[in-house]
Amino acid sequence: GGASMAGADRVKRAMTNAEKRAAEVAAKAQGLGFEGETALTPAQAGTSKTAQIFEAAASTLPGSAGQFTRRYAAQSDLAENIFNQIADMFGGMPRDPSVAYSSGAGAVKTAAKNNLDAIGSKIREVASKSDINLDQVPNFKEGVMKARELLKSLPPSMRKDPLFEGFEQFYFGAKNKDLDVKVADAMAQTGMKPDNPNFKAFADKVRQNLIDSGEPEFSYQGYAQKGVLPGADYQDQRVLFGDLAYANKGTKIGEAFKALRDALDDARDKTFRLEGMTDDAKELKQLRASYGEARDLNDRFAKANDKTVVNTIVSNTNRLSDNLLPLMDDAQKQSLAQAVLSDIRLSSLNNAGELDITKFGKNVIKSNEKTPMTFEQIFG
């Protein structure tokens, strides 16, 4: 019985992941033309540990160092030639990686901005379906008045900030500058100096007399005076409140405008529901969440270095590439392709600064395994 078992086939040991990947690299290299003198050595095709042992042993053999040097040099030349052919398919590639990163990151940032604008336009489209009656949303009206009172506590120089002026003019109207000029002319004719204790009181009387005689006090009325906020202006105001909150974060004014942005959202939702537009209220809520994420991404990219921006898309972090790559035109995708190729080349150089086909193959395979759809969308 024992003798009959001698010829039984032995079960083959399953390959490790490292061995599978090494075999893929070797097969890919052979398919690209690395044969004969330029074929991968057993060390290159093996695992990292195997490579270290093999190279340590080979370095003790007579003449082996020169053979390896020639083989690696031949592989590097062939790898460089293949790489350049690939790069030429995408308009070539700047030799300076920073130039490629800058161009690729610029394409990504443009797509991120377009994504933000597209969501903002959709919000504006949905929100424009009806106006917001301010009498129906007292909390929002109170928030506007509270913000205005807080602004009065600021020095005049700060209140001239375009964001503050934009808020006050939109809700409370813009002062008629012609009226100011006429008041100044009238005061100049009186010969009264600004340091006179009665100057302000007299100027106020002159202003009121001009208004009573028909001179408009405002170049246009604000929406707090009109009592209605057009739905078409909803998104612009929401962005304004967000900008004011961010620019003044950590202060009472910043918190007030953050609360005002939330109150505006509640006001829009409430007026939609009062009009039976519950589906629009739900859609708007989802769009606002998407807009917040898109804005955070846009702000994060603005502060990140070019290489980080490119790698974020290649790694498809939070599926960002699924949203941004379809927004890129061919020229932008080409810039991104050049940046990705430049990054792969940079990480595939050996200590001598030459392209190592083993590293190159592994980097391409590893990147493509992680995000195959991203590579397909970038490189086609």
Side-chain angles (χ1 to χ4, degrees):
S4 65
M5 295 173 62
D9 291 339
R10 294 181 180 178
V11 177
K12 291 185 178 180
R13 178 179 63 83
M15 294 177 68
T16 65
N17 289 333
E19 289 170 338
K20 288 179 182 178
R21 177 163 291 174
E24 289 176 349
V25 174
K28 179 68 71 174
Q30 186 175 4
L32 289 171
F34 290 87
E35 297 176 344
E37 280 298 311
T38 62
L40 266 65
T41 66
Q44 290 174 304
T47 63
S48 297
K49 187 174 181 181
T50 305
Q52 293 170 4
I53 296 173
F54 185 88
E55 290 173 356
S59 64
T60 64
L61 301 177
S64 61
Q67 293 171 3
F68 271 92
T69 299
R70 286 193 299 274
R71 174 169 284 191
Y72 275 105
Q75 288 177 351
S76 179
D77 290 343
L78 182 55
E80 192 74 48
N81 182 48
I82 292 174
F83 185 83
N84 288 334
Q85 290 182 47
I86 295 172
D88 288 343
M89 294 169 63
F90 300 94
M93 188 185 66
R95 297 297 296 179
D96 184 354
S98 63
V99 175
Y101 286 138
S102 178
S103 179
V108 174
K109 290 177 181 179
T110 299
K113 182 64 169 61
N114 291 341
N115 183 45
L116 182 66
D117 292 342
I119 299 173
S121 296
K122 184 61 179 178
I123 290 176
R124 188 174 288 104
E125 177 187 330
V126 175
S128 298
K129 292 183 178 180
S130 72
D131 296 335
I132 298 174
N133 187 334
L134 298 182
D135 289 335
Q136 294 176 336
V137 285
N139 288 344
F140 179 60
K141 287 179 67 176
E142 290 170 6
V144 169
M145 295 306 299
K146 179 181 177 182
R148 190 187 193 193
E149 288 302 312
L150 282 171
L151 288 182
K152 288 181 179 179
S153 65
L154 293 176
S157 58
M158 285 188 67
R159 292 187 66 179
K160 291 182 179 179
D161 183 287
L163 291 175
F164 289 142
E165 284 191 340
F167 163 73
E168 289 198 283
Q169 288 184 7
F170 186 87
Y171 288 96
F172 303 102
K175 290 183 178 180
N176 182 4
K177 293 182 179 179
D178 289 338
L179 176 61
D180 291 339
V181 172
K182 289 180 179 180
V183 171
D185 288 343
M187 294 304 293
Q189 291 176 19
T190 65
M192 189 180 294
K193 301 297 182 183
D195 57 359
N196 188 310
N198 297 321
F199 184 88
K200 185 178 185 306
F202 196 81
D204 288 343
K205 286 183 179 180
V206 171
R207 178 182 297 276
Q208 191 58 51
N209 287 335
L210 287 169
I211 292 173
D212 292 341
S213 65
E215 185 70 32
E217 182 179 3
F218 299 96
S219 58
Y220 62 85
Q221 282 190 324
Y223 288 108
Q225 298 158 317
K226 295 179 180 179
V228 174
L229 172 64
D233 292 328
Y234 163 83
Q235 176 63 4
D236 291 334
Q237 292 306 295
R238 193 174 188 274
V239 171
L240 175 64
F241 295 153
D243 289 343
L244 282 163
Y246 182 80
N248 299 276
K249 59 184 176 181
T251 67
K252 288 184 178 180
I253 291 176
E255 290 301 316
F257 279 107
K258 185 178 180 181
L260 195 54
R261 182 197 62 193
D262 295 339
L264 175 63
D265 291 342
D266 290 338
R268 175 69 286 182
D269 292 347
K270 182 176 181 180
T271 51
F272 265 163
R273 288 194 296 271
L274 288 173
E275 297 174 23
M277 302 169 66
T278 54
D279 289 343
D280 293 297
K282 290 179 181 177
E283 183 179 3
L284 197 56
K285 187 175 182 179
Q286 294 172 346
L287 286 169
R288 285 197 296 255
S290 298
Y291 187 85
E293 293 172 358
R295 182 166 184 169
D296 288 344
L297 176 66
N298 198 55
D299 293 344
R300 182 152 55 92
F301 277 170
K303 300 173 184 176
N305 63 53
D306 294 335
K307 188 176 188 298
T308 299
V309 173
V310 171
N311 288 340
T312 299
I313 294 302
V314 174
S315 62
N316 200 13
T317 305
N318 297 327
R319 304 192 69 82
L320 291 177
S321 62
D322 294 349
N323 295 327
L324 299 186
L325 287 174
L327 298 176
M328 292 185 184
D329 57 27
D330 290 342
Q332 290 169 334
K333 284 185 179 179
Q334 179 169 296
S335 294
L336 182 57
Q338 291 174 347
V340 175
L341 287 171
S342 182
D343 188 52
I344 291 175
R345 185 184 188 283
L346 195 62
S347 59
S348 301
L349 300 179
N350 58 25
N351 293 334
E354 298 174 331
L355 193 62
D356 186 323
I357 183 56
T358 313
K359 289 183 178 180
F360 176 57
K362 286 182 177 179
N363 285 332
V364 172
I365 292 172
K366 183 170 64 175
S367 299
N368 191 51
E369 281 178 346
K370 286 183 178 179
T371 52
M373 288 303 296
T374 302
F375 261 47
E376 184 177 329
Q377 287 179 287
I378 295 174
F379 296 107

